[in-house]
Amino acid sequence: MDTLTVKPSQVKNVVLRAALAKRPIFIWGPPGIGKSELVQGIVDSGSLGKATMVDLRLALMEPTDIRGYPFRNPDTNVMEWSPPVDLPTDEFASQYDTVVLFLDELNSAPPSVQAAAYQLVLNRRVGQYVLPKNVIIIAAGNRETDRGVTFRMPAPLANRFRHINMAVDFGDWQRWAINKGVHPDVIGYLSYAKQDLFDFDPKTGSQAFATPRSWTYVSEILFTDGFDNAEVFEQKAEIAGAVGEGMAGKFVEHRRIASHLPKPEDVLSGKVTKLDNKLSQEISAKYSLVVGLTYEINQYYQDHGTKDDFKSMFNNAVKFSYENFEPEMVVLFFKTIMTDYGIKFNIRTDLNQDLYKVFSERYTKYIV
């Protein structure tokens, strides 16, 4: 298998082209990097018209789940096959422009199940069942080097697919996390320690390790009622269950430092204009505050739009960022608001003259 890898946004483009050509494609990659979520995102994006996804976890299936069950036709005394209930019927498929048949964990399925899937992929039929014309096949699985439960894919089946190798990319993940409402502390910490987004090592026997998926678990933990009132050791143990002990220790310490930062709403109101304690000068903590500010600005914008109060809050946040954040953090601030959240405003008129002058002189080249 080729070792050339591409980031998720590029994989999306490759998968779309394969889908439009009605060619099966296989997405390879380590566990927890979002292969399934990427396919679901393509379906939900509207790029394939009105679409839906049928998700088959082949590792949990038997050959008869794909081929169907044999029975004797009493009228002809010939053995026929009852169609499998999980595969899309013509009636079901007719409701959509595109049906994505997602064969997840294909190479984790036993050889007998892969053999049944082979006929489905190769001939678009299995037994007496025929795939509707608007069904496209996308498959995914872990690499053999990931030390998961995998079986070598038969060469004829592998040759039927286009193949693409997916890798973790922080920029893609950050955009996804911001739009999905991942906890600001998680995004802030990983914006500072990008290498900690993914630390899977197949050679270790660790039960928990950091992946984009497991950091989502950490975000869910942080949003849970009562978590912040728990003892530090308890917090660390719970987070370690998602991303491992070493990563949990670093992240809990990051949160301890970030707790000394001002509340984003106090910055937006103009109540706080300066970071005036030593702990708040930590780079990782500042990243968390940047993300927190953009969260609050976006929430207010969604509720009220570009009214005078919004403009005042926005100017307070921009002035604060100029005076307290490093240039890359200011760029992240503007990029998140303008690109990731898509907040509509006229930067020439919504920023006061002095703030706009600084923006145009220092940051325009980075934002554009």
Side-chain angles (χ1 to χ4, degrees), residues 39-60:
V39 176
Q40 184 65 64
I42 291 174
V43 171
D44 295 340
S45 69
S47 302
L48 300 173
K50 183 182 178 183
T52 190
M53 185 171 81
V54 176
D55 188 349
L56 294 186
R57 303 280 168 153
L58 295 188
L60 306 177

Side-chain angles (χ1 to χ4, degrees), residues 37-93:
E37 289 81 359
L38 182 141
V39 176
Q40 184 65 64
I42 291 174
V43 171
D44 295 340
S45 69
S47 302
L48 300 173
K50 183 182 178 183
T52 190
M53 185 171 81
V54 176
D55 188 349
L56 294 186
R57 303 280 168 153
L58 295 188
L60 306 177
M61 302 181 76
E62 299 289 338
T64 52
D65 295 330
I66 298 176
R67 185 173 175 83
Y69 196 80
F71 69 95
R72 184 182 69 88
N73 186 323
D75 296 327
T76 62
N77 200 33
V78 173
M79 186 182 75
E80 297 183 4
W81 293 85
S82 56
V85 68
D86 293 321
L87 293 175
T89 63
D90 287 327
E91 181 181 0
F92 174 81

Side-chain angles (χ1 to χ4, degrees), residues 7-10 169-182 187 191 197 295 332 335-336 339-341:
K7 58 186 182 180
S9 57
Q10 295 169 324
D169 179 80
F170 177 78
D172 279 3
W173 178 84
Q174 185 184 58
R175 284 188 290 274
W176 174 88
I178 287 170
N179 284 289
K180 290 294 184 180
V182 172
I187 300 177
S191 295
L197 175 61
Y295 268 48
L332 174 62
K335 172 184 169 297
T336 301
T339 303
D340 298 325
Y341 284 134

Side-chain angles (χ1 to χ4, degrees), residues 47-235:
S47 302
L48 300 173
K50 183 182 178 183
T52 190
M53 185 171 81
V54 176
D55 188 349
L56 294 186
R57 303 280 168 153
L58 295 188
L60 306 177
M61 302 181 76
E62 299 289 338
T64 52
D65 295 330
I66 298 176
R67 185 173 175 83
Y69 196 80
F71 69 95
R72 184 182 69 88
N73 186 323
D75 296 327
T76 62
N77 200 33
V78 173
M79 186 182 75
E80 297 183 4
W81 293 85
S82 56
V85 68
D86 293 321
L87 293 175
T89 63
D90 287 327
E91 181 181 0
F92 174 81
S94 66
Q95 303 174 57
Y96 302 94
D97 298 317
T98 307
V99 176
V100 173
L101 180 60
F102 183 46
L103 306 179
D104 202 4
E105 302 174 355
L106 173 56
N107 61 327
S108 296
S112 58
V113 177
Q114 290 193 38
Y118 168 76
Q119 187 181 0
L120 188 66
V121 175
L122 183 64
N123 301 320
R124 293 184 60 84
R125 64 182 301 155
V126 58
Q128 292 175 292
Y129 170 80
V130 179
L131 275 177
K133 292 182 179 180
N134 63 333
V135 174
I136 61 174
I137 296 175
I138 301 175
N142 298 331
R143 305 161 302 182
E144 293 181 21
T145 54
D146 294 326
R147 297 186 68 181
V149 179
T150 59
F151 298 89
R152 184 175 295 275
M153 187 184 299
L157 177 58
N159 189 245
R160 188 60 178 174
F161 284 102
R162 297 183 184 182
H163 297 268
I164 191 71
N165 294 280
M166 179 168 151
V168 175
D169 179 80
F170 177 78
D172 279 3
W173 178 84
Q174 185 184 58
R175 284 188 290 274
W176 174 88
I178 287 170
N179 284 289
K180 290 294 184 180
V182 172
H183 198 284
D185 284 355
V186 173
I187 300 177
Y189 171 73
L190 293 175
S191 295
Y192 164 71
K194 297 178 178 63
Q195 73 281 358
D196 288 348
L197 175 61
F198 183 77
D199 76 340
F200 171 63
D201 182 357
K203 297 178 182 178
T204 67
S206 177
Q207 295 173 319
F209 46 88
T211 67
R213 179 168 58 200
S214 60
W215 279 114
T216 302
Y217 298 159
V218 173
S219 174
E220 294 169 352
I221 291 170
L222 300 184
F223 281 124
T224 303
D225 290 340
F227 176 79
D228 286 330
N229 298 325
E231 295 182 4
V232 173
F233 180 81
E234 182 181 331
Q235 293 182 356

Side-chain angles (χ1 to χ4, degrees), residues 232-262:
V232 173
F233 180 81
E234 182 181 331
Q235 293 182 356
K236 189 180 296 185
E238 189 169 357
I239 293 173
V243 293
E245 292 185 16
M247 204 69 71
K250 291 193 291 182
F251 180 71
V252 169
E253 176 63 12
H254 157 77
R255 292 198 81 218
R256 183 188 71 80
I257 295 172
S259 66
H260 294 273
L261 293 172

